[in-house]
Amino acid sequence: TQLLEQSPQFLSIQEGENLTVYCNSSSVFSSLQWYRQEPGEGPVLLVTVVTGGEVKKLKRLTFQFGDARKDSSLHITAAQPGDTGLYLCAGVSSNDYKLSFGAGTTVTVRA
Amino acid sequence: NAGVMQNPRHLVRRRGQEARLRCSPMKGHSHVYWYRQLPEEGLKFMVYLQKENIIDESGMPKERFSAEFPKEGPSILRIQQVVRGDSAAYFCASSPPGTPWSEQFFGPGTRLTVL
């Protein structure tokens, strides 16, 4: 059983469209991170959110941490083929100090 | 500033052989973590080390797997008598001194294939 559930598992969209990836849990997290991983490479850290309700923007990417610090979302505006990859959320639980990963969302942006 | 380095990038072993995976953390980082990734399962924590100390090995299989982070040199993840089920991508991550489990920076991984 995954501590963090990501949805959808797969997402395929046309260039220029918007997309949202969700990361949900029944646990409270002291911090949550989003990574992007390309085939054959390691995950690359995109952002860390620590405050309930926090919103962070990174160019066309918007990250939100839920008020209760149990969930998060990643929204990409006007997706480009370069956004293609596996998006992973990972959280440090308030009950533990380990970093737990979701199974990931595979995003494909078609040109 | 070089990132986390792992070698080899690809490793092929026959059943029963030993696999040694190496990880050099980012300069200045004192925390090292090893993860295993299977397709569609995300990354699973294996072990957390600091120099010369294993801090948390709760994710390590009880047998055949061991890890070390010596005073000098890279961290080593060792798998003895490999089996086909050990085939996976193994990632190392490091983080700076201070709060453990903080932002972790990952290496490119070692893809282990057991024939």
Side-chain angles (χ1 to χ4, degrees), chain A residues 26-107:
Chain A
S26 57
S27 298
V28 175
F29 292 96
S30 56
S31 69
L32 196 140
Q33 299 164 19
W34 284 93
Y35 292 82
R36 186 173 79 191
Q37 184 179 17
E38 297 189 18
E41 298 297 329
V44 175
L45 180 65
L46 297 175
V47 77
T48 299
V49 286
V50 296
T51 305
E54 182 177 2
V55 177
K56 281 192 174 179
K57 295 196 174 194
L58 185 65
K59 296 183 180 179
R60 294 176 294 99
L61 277 61
T62 301
F63 304 86
Q64 186 163 9
F65 201 13
D67 291 340
R69 290 185 289 134
K70 292 183 178 182
D71 54 86
S72 181
S73 64
L74 157 61
H75 182 80
I76 302 179
T77 304
Q80 299 176 1
D83 296 324
T84 293
L86 176 67
Y87 289 83
L88 296 160
C89 67
V92 179
S93 172
S94 298
N95 298 325
D96 197 351
Y97 55 90
K98 292 187 179 65
L99 188 63
S100 298
F101 280 82
T105 295
T106 300
V107 171

Side-chain angles (χ1 to χ4, degrees), chain B residues 23-84:
Chain B
C23 168
S24 295
M26 286 181 70
K27 188 176 180 180
H29 284 193
S30 56
H31 303 288
V32 167
Y33 317 83
W34 284 93
Y35 294 85
R36 177 163 61 179
Q37 187 176 39
L38 293 167
E40 300 179 14
E41 286 191 19
L43 286 97
K44 302 295 185 185
F45 165 76
M46 298 181 74
V47 62
Y48 161 38
L49 310 105
Q50 295 180 22
K51 284 284 187 182
E52 300 183 279
N53 282 303
I54 296 174
I55 307 302
D56 184 336
E57 57 181 347
S58 58
M60 288 272 273
K62 296 288 184 244
E63 297 177 349
R64 302 187 297 107
F65 285 72
S66 62
E68 62 177 4
F69 189 16
K71 186 176 181 180
E72 301 290 338
S75 175
I76 306 285
L77 178 67
R78 181 182 177 204
I79 311 173
Q80 294 178 290
Q81 299 176 323
V82 296
V83 301
R84 288 219 174 108

